């Protein structure tokens, strides 16, 4: 391939089935992912993980910590700092309970997969080291879904720091995919006193990397990524500090990006609105052009 764009071999067949009406799209599951940033001497670096090659979805691809929304987090009042739930609901394009659940998913997944927790005992604080055995036991319970994030926060008397997050963009998995996600992307800065680690069972490697360096490796075909990942990396490359990136978040357009497939001269053209670099022409004989 000319670059590292993730392109599953079953896509052409599924795209054709969608265009001829024999494939019914599955409902996209709500999800959240976080682009965790830290400043370095040469600009911000972002925390990325490489999904295990054995994973059914995007195996071997580099991504950010993230995962599905837990519906248990939308119906329980939690200690909350930062913009109100009503503000988040308008920003994310959902109702207030949905906004709480999406923000909870962003914070929970960052803790589950990177060991970083955007919460503290007070509205203006964050926890310190979270690597102790008691913390790990709670993290494992969250991963297993034996414990909801709302329950975790309540039990530990923690305040969720929604003010440490910035909503960045929203992508919806194409309708022809078997596994679909409606994903909100957030940015956040690594809290002082905390450190990342590979806590995910779905990743075999984690790395701090400057967005422009990761994008260059993608362009060379060295790093495999899905379109939303490389698109956001290119956007992050414009900023010189983590604080500058977070300050830009409130002005970002949150209109969902959804791939479209259409027939052109008998071939299928796959495109993502506003992101021409990902356009693919699928020949009638199969495979991307």
């Amino acid at each position: 391939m000319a670059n590292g764009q993730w392109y599953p071999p079953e896509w052409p067949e599924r795209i054709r089935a969608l265009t001829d009406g024999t494939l019914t799209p599955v409902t996209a599951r709500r999800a959240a992912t976080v682009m965790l940033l830290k400043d370095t001497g040469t600009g911000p670096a972002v925390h990325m993980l490489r999904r295990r090659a054995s994973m059914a979805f995007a195996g071997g691809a580099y991504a950010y910590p993230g995962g599905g929304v837990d519906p248990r987090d939308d119906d329980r009042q939690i200690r909350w700092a930062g913009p109100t739930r009503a503000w988040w609901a308008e920003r994310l394009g959902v109702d207030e309970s949905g906004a709480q659940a999406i923000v909870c998913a962003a914070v929970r997944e960052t803790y589950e997969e990177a060991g970083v927790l955007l919460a503290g005992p007070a509205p203006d604080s964050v926890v310190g080291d979270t690597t102790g055995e008691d913390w790990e036991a709670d993290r494992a319970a969250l991963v297993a879904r034996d414990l909801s994030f709302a329950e975790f926060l309540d039990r530990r008397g923690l305040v969720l720091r929604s003010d440490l997050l910035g909503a960045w963009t929203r992508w919806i998995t194409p309708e022809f995919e078997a596994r679909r996600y409606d994903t909100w992307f957030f940015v956040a800065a690594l809290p002082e006193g905390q450190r990342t680690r590979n806590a995910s069972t779905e990743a075999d490697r984690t790395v701090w990397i400057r967005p422009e360096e990761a994008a260059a490796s993608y362009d060379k075909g060295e790093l495999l990524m899905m379109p939303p990942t490389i698109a956001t990396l290119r956007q992050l490359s414009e900023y010189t500090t983590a604080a500058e990136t977070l300050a830009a978040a409130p002005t970002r357009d949150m209109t969902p990006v959804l791939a479209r497939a259409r027939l052109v001269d008998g071939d299928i053209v796959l495109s993502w609105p506003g992101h021409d670099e990902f356009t693919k022409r699928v020949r009638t004989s199969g495979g991307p052009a």
Side-chain angles (χ1 to χ4, degrees), residues 120-204:
D124 59 352
S125 67
V126 292
V127 298
D129 187 7
T130 61
T131 58
E133 290 184 5
D134 59 331
W135 285 103
E136 180 57 26
D138 277 350
R139 193 195 67 80
L142 286 168
V143 172
R145 297 297 181 261
D146 294 333
L147 182 68
S148 75
F149 194 63
E151 292 168 338
F152 164 76
L153 292 172
D154 186 58
R155 192 166 76 184
R156 285 191 171 268
L158 295 174
V159 180
L160 184 146
R161 293 289 306 276
S162 81
D163 55 319
L164 298 182
L165 287 168
W168 191 259
T169 190
R170 179 182 177 186
W171 286 64
I172 302 176
T173 308
E175 292 181 334
F176 48 81
E177 254 295 334
R179 295 176 178 82
R180 300 189 63 221
Y181 299 93
D182 184 352
T183 305
W184 284 263
F185 286 69
F186 296 84
V187 288
L190 178 68
E192 185 176 353
Q194 294 193 39
R195 61 183 187 273
T196 58
R197 58 195 174 93
N198 184 7
S200 174
T201 58
E202 299 180 353
D204 60 11

Side-chain angles (χ1 to χ4, degrees), residues 59-72:
Y62 279 77
Y64 312 112
V69 167
D70 186 342
R72 295 177 296 177

Side-chain angles (χ1 to χ4, degrees), residues 202-225:
E202 299 180 353
D204 60 11
R205 184 188 183 213
T206 61
V207 63
W208 282 101
I209 188 169
R210 291 184 299 112
E212 55 268 35
E213 180 183 347
S217 294
Y218 165 90
D219 290 335
K220 296 174 185 176
E222 297 171 352
L223 297 184
L224 184 68
M225 298 179 200

Side-chain angles (χ1 to χ4, degrees), residues 267-282:
D267 293 339
I268 297 167
V269 175
L270 174 63
S271 61
W272 279 259
H275 300 273
D276 292 342
E277 73 166 295
F278 305 127
T279 300
K280 293 284 186 181
R281 191 179 186 101
V282 182

Side-chain angles (χ1 to χ4, degrees), residues 3-68:
N3 56 35
Q5 184 174 341
W6 179 67
Y7 193 91
E10 67 272 14
W11 269 15
E13 181 180 350
R14 295 187 64 85
I15 292 171
R16 291 188 185 89
L18 179 67
T19 57
D20 65 22
T22 59
L23 175 68
T24 301
V26 299
T27 301
R29 181 186 177 192
R30 288 183 172 182
T33 190
V34 176
M35 300 177 287
L36 192 63
L37 305 168
K38 72 174 181 180
D39 290 322
T40 72
T42 55
V46 62
H47 181 72
M48 303 189 75
L49 52 84
R50 183 175 65 189
R51 294 173 60 82
R52 294 185 184 277
S54 58
M55 297 295 294
F57 183 80
Y62 279 77
Y64 312 112

